[in-house]
Amino acid sequence: MFCQRCGAFINDNQRVCPQCGMVISGQEANVSNVSSYEGPMGSTTPALVWGILGLSFACTFYLSILGVIFSIIGLCKANKARTIIGNTSKKVNTGRKLSIAGIITGAILTTLLFIVIISVALS
């Protein structure tokens, strides 16, 4: 049989699509622990890694714009993982919080960097 969402081939004994993590229709009642499934698109590790990278770069003054970019990527990956595996994963919430902190910190430091660059250029 094939997945209705992504079209991937699914064995008859599988309850969750291995490509996109969608629960196979007609078997929702038999699936007891779908929220812990971490398929290729629902993995929580990339969200956590991008969140850490984003916050790390956001805390550096000259590379804060990279921190904002990395944090936005981490936030997108965390949101995608949350919608696929549910809201119960602690790693996704951690990656999401790190990404939001990276966006805020990076935006503040990027603004300060532009102010410094403009004030140096005008003087």
Side-chain angles (χ1 to χ4, degrees):
M1 101 176 84
F2 294 94
C3 177
Q4 294 175 350
R5 183 189 294 167
C6 68
F9 178 75
I10 304 170
N11 292 330
D12 291 335
N13 59 351
Q14 289 181 315
R15 294 183 248 166
V16 178
C17 175
Q19 292 296 318
C20 68
M22 183 176 135
V23 177
I24 296 170
S25 62
Q27 295 184 1
E28 291 87 359
N30 297 333
V31 178
S32 61
N33 198 11
V34 175
S35 63
S36 66
Y37 175 75
E38 295 181 6
M41 291 175 54
S43 177
T44 58
T45 305
L48 188 61
V49 170
W50 281 106
I52 291 169
L53 280 174
L55 187 58
S56 299
F57 276 97
C59 290
T60 60
F61 191 65
Y62 294 108
L63 300 174
S64 58
I65 190 70
L66 285 177
V68 172
I69 293 168
F70 291 163
S71 295
I72 290 172
I73 293 170
L75 188 61
C76 290
K77 290 195 178 290
N79 286 338
K80 184 185 288 187
R82 280 176 83 133
T83 58
I84 291 174
I85 64 173
N87 293 332
T88 59
S89 178
K90 189 172 181 91
K91 285 184 187 176
V92 174
N93 289 334
T94 304
R96 183 176 166 79
K97 290 175 185 176
L98 286 170
S99 296
I100 291 172
I103 291 171
I104 293 169
T105 306
I108 292 170
L109 288 178
T110 301
T111 305
L112 290 174
L113 177 64
F114 285 130
I115 291 171
V116 168
I117 290 172
I118 290 172
S119 63
V120 167
L122 293 177
S123 51

PDB file of all heavy atoms in Angstrom, residues 51 54-55 57-59 64-65 67-72 75 96-112:
ATOM      1  N   GLY A  51      18.982  24.965  16.820  1.00  0.00           N
ATOM      2  CA  GLY A  51      18.736  25.902  17.915  1.00  0.00           C
ATOM      3  C   GLY A  51      20.007  26.243  18.674  1.00  0.00           C
ATOM      4  O   GLY A  51      20.263  27.402  19.007  1.00  0.00           O
ATOM      5  N   GLY A  54      22.178  28.354  16.348  1.00  0.00           N
ATOM      6  CA  GLY A  54      21.615  29.702  16.230  1.00  0.00           C
ATOM      7  C   GLY A  54      21.908  30.552  17.446  1.00  0.00           C
ATOM      8  O   GLY A  54      22.333  31.706  17.320  1.00  0.00           O
ATOM      9  N   LEU A  55      21.706  29.996  18.624  1.00  0.00           N
ATOM     10  CA  LEU A  55      21.971  30.760  19.841  1.00  0.00           C
ATOM     11  C   LEU A  55      23.462  31.035  20.007  1.00  0.00           C
ATOM     12  O   LEU A  55      23.850  32.132  20.429  1.00  0.00           O
ATOM     13  CB  LEU A  55      21.414  30.030  21.061  1.00  0.00           C
ATOM     14  CG  LEU A  55      21.482  30.790  22.384  1.00  0.00           C
ATOM     15  CD1 LEU A  55      20.735  32.115  22.284  1.00  0.00           C
ATOM     16  CD2 LEU A  55      20.914  29.955  23.501  1.00  0.00           C
ATOM     17  N   PHE A  57      25.786  31.385  17.602  1.00  0.00           N
ATOM     18  CA  PHE A  57      26.197  32.444  16.682  1.00  0.00           C
ATOM     19  C   PHE A  57      25.537  33.774  17.021  1.00  0.00           C
ATOM     20  O   PHE A  57      26.111  34.834  16.793  1.00  0.00           O
ATOM     21  CB  PHE A  57      25.876  32.056  15.233  1.00  0.00           C
ATOM     22  CG  PHE A  57      26.926  31.210  14.592  1.00  0.00           C
ATOM     23  CD1 PHE A  57      26.785  29.837  14.547  1.00  0.00           C
ATOM     24  CD2 PHE A  57      28.048  31.774  14.038  1.00  0.00           C
ATOM     25  CE1 PHE A  57      27.744  29.035  13.962  1.00  0.00           C
ATOM     26  CE2 PHE A  57      29.030  30.994  13.444  1.00  0.00           C
ATOM     27  CZ  PHE A  57      28.877  29.626  13.405  1.00  0.00           C
ATOM     28  N   ALA A  58      24.313  33.727  17.561  1.00  0.00           N
ATOM     29  CA  ALA A  58      23.620  34.967  17.911  1.00  0.00           C
ATOM     30  C   ALA A  58      24.328  35.700  19.037  1.00  0.00           C
ATOM     31  O   ALA A  58      24.258  36.924  19.128  1.00  0.00           O
ATOM     32  CB  ALA A  58      22.174  34.668  18.306  1.00  0.00           C
ATOM     33  N   CYS A  59      25.037  34.967  19.891  1.00  0.00           N
ATOM     34  CA  CYS A  59      25.733  35.588  21.018  1.00  0.00           C
ATOM     35  C   CYS A  59      27.064  36.215  20.611  1.00  0.00           C
ATOM     36  O   CYS A  59      27.679  36.904  21.417  1.00  0.00           O
ATOM     37  CB  CYS A  59      25.953  34.562  22.131  1.00  0.00           C
ATOM     38  SG  CYS A  59      24.406  34.088  22.940  1.00  0.00           S
ATOM     39  N   SER A  64      26.175  37.722  14.474  1.00  0.00           N
ATOM     40  CA  SER A  64      24.820  37.611  15.011  1.00  0.00           C
ATOM     41  C   SER A  64      23.774  37.415  13.918  1.00  0.00           C
ATOM     42  O   SER A  64      22.753  36.777  14.152  1.00  0.00           O
ATOM     43  CB  SER A  64      24.488  38.827  15.866  1.00  0.00           C
ATOM     44  OG  SER A  64      24.617  40.014  15.114  1.00  0.00           O
ATOM     45  N   ILE A  65      24.030  37.933  12.723  1.00  0.00           N
ATOM     46  CA  ILE A  65      23.069  37.742  11.635  1.00  0.00           C
ATOM     47  C   ILE A  65      22.994  36.262  11.251  1.00  0.00           C
ATOM     48  O   ILE A  65      21.925  35.750  10.923  1.00  0.00           O
ATOM     49  CB  ILE A  65      23.391  38.636  10.417  1.00  0.00           C
ATOM     50  CG1 ILE A  65      22.252  38.620   9.394  1.00  0.00           C
ATOM     51  CG2 ILE A  65      24.677  38.225   9.747  1.00  0.00           C
ATOM     52  CD1 ILE A  65      21.020  39.317   9.848  1.00  0.00           C
ATOM     53  N   GLY A  67      23.424  33.887  13.376  1.00  0.00           N
ATOM     54  CA  GLY A  67      22.651  33.312  14.469  1.00  0.00           C
ATOM     55  C   GLY A  67      21.157  33.442  14.238  1.00  0.00           C
ATOM     56  O   GLY A  67      20.392  32.517  14.539  1.00  0.00           O
ATOM     57  N   VAL A  68      20.730  34.577  13.699  1.00  0.00           N
ATOM     58  CA  VAL A  68      19.312  34.769  13.394  1.00  0.00           C
ATOM     59  C   VAL A  68      18.877  33.782  12.313  1.00  0.00           C
ATOM     60  O   VAL A  68      17.832  33.134  12.427  1.00  0.00           O
ATOM     61  CB  VAL A  68      19.036  36.223  12.958  1.00  0.00           C
ATOM     62  CG1 VAL A  68      17.616  36.384  12.457  1.00  0.00           C
ATOM     63  CG2 VAL A  68      19.300  37.180  14.100  1.00  0.00           C
ATOM     64  N   ILE A  69      19.693  33.637  11.277  1.00  0.00           N
ATOM     65  CA  ILE A  69      19.362  32.721  10.184  1.00  0.00           C
ATOM     66  C   ILE A  69      19.297  31.280  10.686  1.00  0.00           C
ATOM     67  O   ILE A  69      18.340  30.553  10.404  1.00  0.00           O
ATOM     68  CB  ILE A  69      20.384  32.865   9.042  1.00  0.00           C
ATOM     69  CG1 ILE A  69      20.249  34.251   8.403  1.00  0.00           C
ATOM     70  CG2 ILE A  69      20.207  31.770   7.995  1.00  0.00           C
ATOM     71  CD1 ILE A  69      21.372  34.610   7.463  1.00  0.00           C
ATOM     72  N   PHE A  70      20.311  30.859  11.446  1.00  0.00           N
ATOM     73  CA  PHE A  70      20.323  29.487  11.972  1.00  0.00           C
ATOM     74  C   PHE A  70      19.154  29.254  12.929  1.00  0.00           C
ATOM     75  O   PHE A  70      18.566  28.172  12.953  1.00  0.00           O
ATOM     76  CB  PHE A  70      21.640  29.187  12.681  1.00  0.00           C
ATOM     77  CG  PHE A  70      22.832  29.107  11.772  1.00  0.00           C
ATOM     78  CD1 PHE A  70      24.107  29.184  12.284  1.00  0.00           C
ATOM     79  CD2 PHE A  70      22.691  28.964  10.401  1.00  0.00           C
ATOM     80  CE1 PHE A  70      25.216  29.107  11.462  1.00  0.00           C
ATOM     81  CE2 PHE A  70      23.784  28.884   9.563  1.00  0.00           C
ATOM     82  CZ  PHE A  70      25.051  28.956  10.096  1.00  0.00           C
ATOM     83  N   SER A  71      18.811  30.255  13.710  1.00  0.00           N
ATOM     84  CA  SER A  71      17.697  30.118  14.648  1.00  0.00           C
ATOM     85  C   SER A  71      16.368  29.993  13.925  1.00  0.00           C
ATOM     86  O   SER A  71      15.489  29.241  14.350  1.00  0.00           O
ATOM     87  CB  SER A  71      17.663  31.308  15.602  1.00  0.00           C
ATOM     88  OG  SER A  71      18.798  31.313  16.416  1.00  0.00           O
ATOM     89  N   ILE A  72      16.216  30.717  12.839  1.00  0.00           N
ATOM     90  CA  ILE A  72      14.981  30.607  12.053  1.00  0.00           C
ATOM     91  C   ILE A  72      14.869  29.205  11.457  1.00  0.00           C
ATOM     92  O   ILE A  72      13.789  28.600  11.461  1.00  0.00           O
ATOM     93  CB  ILE A  72      14.927  31.694  10.965  1.00  0.00           C
ATOM     94  CG1 ILE A  72      14.729  33.065  11.631  1.00  0.00           C
ATOM     95  CG2 ILE A  72      13.821  31.425   9.953  1.00  0.00           C
ATOM     96  CD1 ILE A  72      14.854  34.243  10.699  1.00  0.00           C
ATOM     97  N   LEU A  75      13.853  26.911  14.255  1.00  0.00           N
ATOM     98  CA  LEU A  75      12.447  27.083  14.612  1.00  0.00           C
ATOM     99  C   LEU A  75      11.539  26.393  13.597  1.00  0.00           C
ATOM    100  O   LEU A  75      10.558  25.752  13.971  1.00  0.00           O
ATOM    101  CB  LEU A  75      12.113  28.571  14.720  1.00  0.00           C
ATOM    102  CG  LEU A  75      10.746  28.924  15.261  1.00  0.00           C
ATOM    103  CD1 LEU A  75      10.576  28.392  16.674  1.00  0.00           C
ATOM    104  CD2 LEU A  75      10.554  30.430  15.242  1.00  0.00           C
ATOM    105  N   ARG A  96      13.004  24.472  20.138  1.00  0.00           N
ATOM    106  CA  ARG A  96      12.154  25.625  19.837  1.00  0.00           C
ATOM    107  C   ARG A  96      12.523  26.813  20.728  1.00  0.00           C
ATOM    108  O   ARG A  96      12.642  27.941  20.252  1.00  0.00           O
ATOM    109  CB  ARG A  96      10.699  25.214  20.040  1.00  0.00           C
ATOM    110  CG  ARG A  96       9.701  26.272  19.714  1.00  0.00           C
ATOM    111  CD  ARG A  96       8.296  25.695  19.878  1.00  0.00           C
ATOM    112  NE  ARG A  96       7.296  26.710  19.886  1.00  0.00           N
ATOM    113  CZ  ARG A  96       6.832  27.294  18.800  1.00  0.00           C
ATOM    114  NH1 ARG A  96       7.282  26.947  17.628  1.00  0.00           N
ATOM    115  NH2 ARG A  96       5.920  28.234  18.894  1.00  0.00           N
ATOM    116  N   LYS A  97      12.723  26.550  22.015  1.00  0.00           N
ATOM    117  CA  LYS A  97      13.077  27.630  22.948  1.00  0.00           C
ATOM    118  C   LYS A  97      14.458  28.203  22.630  1.00  0.00           C
ATOM    119  O   LYS A  97      14.659  29.420  22.693  1.00  0.00           O
ATOM    120  CB  LYS A  97      13.031  27.118  24.381  1.00  0.00           C
ATOM    121  CG  LYS A  97      11.630  26.834  24.868  1.00  0.00           C
ATOM    122  CD  LYS A  97      11.640  26.220  26.253  1.00  0.00           C
ATOM    123  CE  LYS A  97      10.240  25.820  26.679  1.00  0.00           C
ATOM    124  NZ  LYS A  97      10.239  25.149  27.971  1.00  0.00           N
ATOM    125  N   LEU A  98      15.416  27.322  22.290  1.00  0.00           N
ATOM    126  CA  LEU A  98      16.744  27.802  21.908  1.00  0.00           C
ATOM    127  C   LEU A  98      16.676  28.654  20.643  1.00  0.00           C
ATOM    128  O   LEU A  98      17.361  29.673  20.535  1.00  0.00           O
ATOM    129  CB  LEU A  98      17.698  26.625  21.687  1.00  0.00           C
ATOM    130  CG  LEU A  98      18.203  25.904  22.925  1.00  0.00           C
ATOM    131  CD1 LEU A  98      18.939  24.636  22.531  1.00  0.00           C
ATOM    132  CD2 LEU A  98      19.119  26.814  23.720  1.00  0.00           C
ATOM    133  N   SER A  99      15.858  28.241  19.694  1.00  0.00           N
ATOM    134  CA  SER A  99      15.725  28.991  18.452  1.00  0.00           C
ATOM    135  C   SER A  99      15.107  30.369  18.692  1.00  0.00           C
ATOM    136  O   SER A  99      15.567  31.368  18.137  1.00  0.00           O
ATOM    137  CB  SER A  99      14.877  28.211  17.453  1.00  0.00           C
ATOM    138  OG  SER A  99      15.519  27.020  17.098  1.00  0.00           O
ATOM    139  N   ILE A 100      14.089  30.419  19.523  1.00  0.00           N
ATOM    140  CA  ILE A 100      13.462  31.714  19.830  1.00  0.00           C
ATOM    141  C   ILE A 100      14.448  32.618  20.560  1.00  0.00           C
ATOM    142  O   ILE A 100      14.558  33.813  20.252  1.00  0.00           O
ATOM    143  CB  ILE A 100      12.165  31.500  20.650  1.00  0.00           C
ATOM    144  CG1 ILE A 100      11.103  30.835  19.764  1.00  0.00           C
ATOM    145  CG2 ILE A 100      11.655  32.818  21.218  1.00  0.00           C
ATOM    146  CD1 ILE A 100       9.868  30.394  20.501  1.00  0.00           C
ATOM    147  N   ALA A 101      15.198  32.057  21.504  1.00  0.00           N
ATOM    148  CA  ALA A 101      16.219  32.853  22.202  1.00  0.00           C
ATOM    149  C   ALA A 101      17.287  33.332  21.230  1.00  0.00           C
ATOM    150  O   ALA A 101      17.767  34.468  21.323  1.00  0.00           O
ATOM    151  CB  ALA A 101      16.849  32.027  23.319  1.00  0.00           C
ATOM    152  N   GLY A 102      17.667  32.482  20.268  1.00  0.00           N
ATOM    153  CA  GLY A 102      18.651  32.874  19.266  1.00  0.00           C
ATOM    154  C   GLY A 102      18.150  33.985  18.366  1.00  0.00           C
ATOM    155  O   GLY A 102      18.908  34.900  18.006  1.00  0.00           O
ATOM    156  N   ILE A 103      16.885  33.932  17.995  1.00  0.00           N
ATOM    157  CA  ILE A 103      16.314  34.984  17.148  1.00  0.00           C
ATOM    158  C   ILE A 103      16.302  36.313  17.892  1.00  0.00           C
ATOM    159  O   ILE A 103      16.705  37.351  17.347  1.00  0.00           O
ATOM    160  CB  ILE A 103      14.894  34.593  16.682  1.00  0.00           C
ATOM    161  CG1 ILE A 103      14.968  33.426  15.695  1.00  0.00           C
ATOM    162  CG2 ILE A 103      14.175  35.783  16.050  1.00  0.00           C
ATOM    163  CD1 ILE A 103      13.620  32.826  15.344  1.00  0.00           C
ATOM    164  N   ILE A 104      15.861  36.299  19.136  1.00  0.00           N
ATOM    165  CA  ILE A 104      15.794  37.541  19.908  1.00  0.00           C
ATOM    166  C   ILE A 104      17.186  38.110  20.158  1.00  0.00           C
ATOM    167  O   ILE A 104      17.447  39.292  19.908  1.00  0.00           O
ATOM    168  CB  ILE A 104      15.037  37.301  21.240  1.00  0.00           C
ATOM    169  CG1 ILE A 104      13.571  36.981  20.955  1.00  0.00           C
ATOM    170  CG2 ILE A 104      15.167  38.509  22.164  1.00  0.00           C
ATOM    171  CD1 ILE A 104      12.799  36.480  22.154  1.00  0.00           C
ATOM    172  N   THR A 105      18.104  37.258  20.632  1.00  0.00           N
ATOM    173  CA  THR A 105      19.472  37.713  20.915  1.00  0.00           C
ATOM    174  C   THR A 105      20.160  38.184  19.645  1.00  0.00           C
ATOM    175  O   THR A 105      20.809  39.236  19.628  1.00  0.00           O
ATOM    176  CB  THR A 105      20.293  36.574  21.562  1.00  0.00           C
ATOM    177  OG1 THR A 105      19.594  36.090  22.698  1.00  0.00           O
ATOM    178  CG2 THR A 105      21.674  37.048  21.949  1.00  0.00           C
ATOM    179  N   GLY A 106      20.013  37.412  18.570  1.00  0.00           N
ATOM    180  CA  GLY A 106      20.635  37.791  17.300  1.00  0.00           C
ATOM    181  C   GLY A 106      20.087  39.085  16.744  1.00  0.00           C
ATOM    182  O   GLY A 106      20.831  39.895  16.191  1.00  0.00           O
ATOM    183  N   ALA A 107      18.776  39.291  16.873  1.00  0.00           N
ATOM    184  CA  ALA A 107      18.173  40.522  16.369  1.00  0.00           C
ATOM    185  C   ALA A 107      18.689  41.735  17.144  1.00  0.00           C
ATOM    186  O   ALA A 107      19.007  42.779  16.556  1.00  0.00           O
ATOM    187  CB  ALA A 107      16.653  40.432  16.454  1.00  0.00           C
ATOM    188  N   ILE A 108      18.803  41.608  18.451  1.00  0.00           N
ATOM    189  CA  ILE A 108      19.309  42.722  19.271  1.00  0.00           C
ATOM    190  C   ILE A 108      20.764  43.026  18.922  1.00  0.00           C
ATOM    191  O   ILE A 108      21.133  44.188  18.690  1.00  0.00           O
ATOM    192  CB  ILE A 108      19.146  42.405  20.770  1.00  0.00           C
ATOM    193  CG1 ILE A 108      17.663  42.381  21.151  1.00  0.00           C
ATOM    194  CG2 ILE A 108      19.912  43.416  21.627  1.00  0.00           C
ATOM    195  CD1 ILE A 108      17.390  41.837  22.534  1.00  0.00           C
ATOM    196  N   LEU A 109      21.603  41.987  18.865  1.00  0.00           N
ATOM    197  CA  LEU A 109      23.019  42.222  18.570  1.00  0.00           C
ATOM    198  C   LEU A 109      23.247  42.676  17.133  1.00  0.00           C
ATOM    199  O   LEU A 109      24.154  43.465  16.873  1.00  0.00           O
ATOM    200  CB  LEU A 109      23.836  40.972  18.880  1.00  0.00           C
ATOM    201  CG  LEU A 109      24.012  40.675  20.365  1.00  0.00           C
ATOM    202  CD1 LEU A 109      24.799  39.390  20.567  1.00  0.00           C
ATOM    203  CD2 LEU A 109      24.717  41.819  21.067  1.00  0.00           C
ATOM    204  N   THR A 110      22.428  42.195  16.193  1.00  0.00           N
ATOM    205  CA  THR A 110      22.550  42.661  14.812  1.00  0.00           C
ATOM    206  C   THR A 110      22.186  44.140  14.711  1.00  0.00           C
ATOM    207  O   THR A 110      22.857  44.905  14.013  1.00  0.00           O
ATOM    208  CB  THR A 110      21.655  41.819  13.879  1.00  0.00           C
ATOM    209  OG1 THR A 110      22.050  40.455  13.974  1.00  0.00           O
ATOM    210  CG2 THR A 110      21.767  42.281  12.444  1.00  0.00           C
ATOM    211  N   THR A 111      21.150  44.544  15.421  1.00  0.00           N
ATOM    212  CA  THR A 111      20.777  45.959  15.440  1.00  0.00           C
ATOM    213  C   THR A 111      21.898  46.805  16.027  1.00  0.00           C
ATOM    214  O   THR A 111      22.251  47.860  15.478  1.00  0.00           O
ATOM    215  CB  THR A 111      19.477  46.163  16.255  1.00  0.00           C
ATOM    216  OG1 THR A 111      18.458  45.317  15.702  1.00  0.00           O
ATOM    217  CG2 THR A 111      19.027  47.603  16.231  1.00  0.00           C
ATOM    218  N   LEU A 112      22.477  46.355  17.135  1.00  0.00           N
ATOM    219  CA  LEU A 112      23.602  47.088  17.729  1.00  0.00           C
ATOM    220  C   LEU A 112      24.801  47.130  16.787  1.00  0.00           C
ATOM    221  O   LEU A 112      25.488  48.154  16.700  1.00  0.00           O
ATOM    222  CB  LEU A 112      23.998  46.454  19.057  1.00  0.00           C
ATOM    223  CG  LEU A 112      23.012  46.618  20.211  1.00  0.00           C
ATOM    224  CD1 LEU A 112      23.477  45.812  21.422  1.00  0.00           C
ATOM    225  CD2 LEU A 112      22.850  48.075  20.567  1.00  0.00           C
TER     226      LEU A 112
END
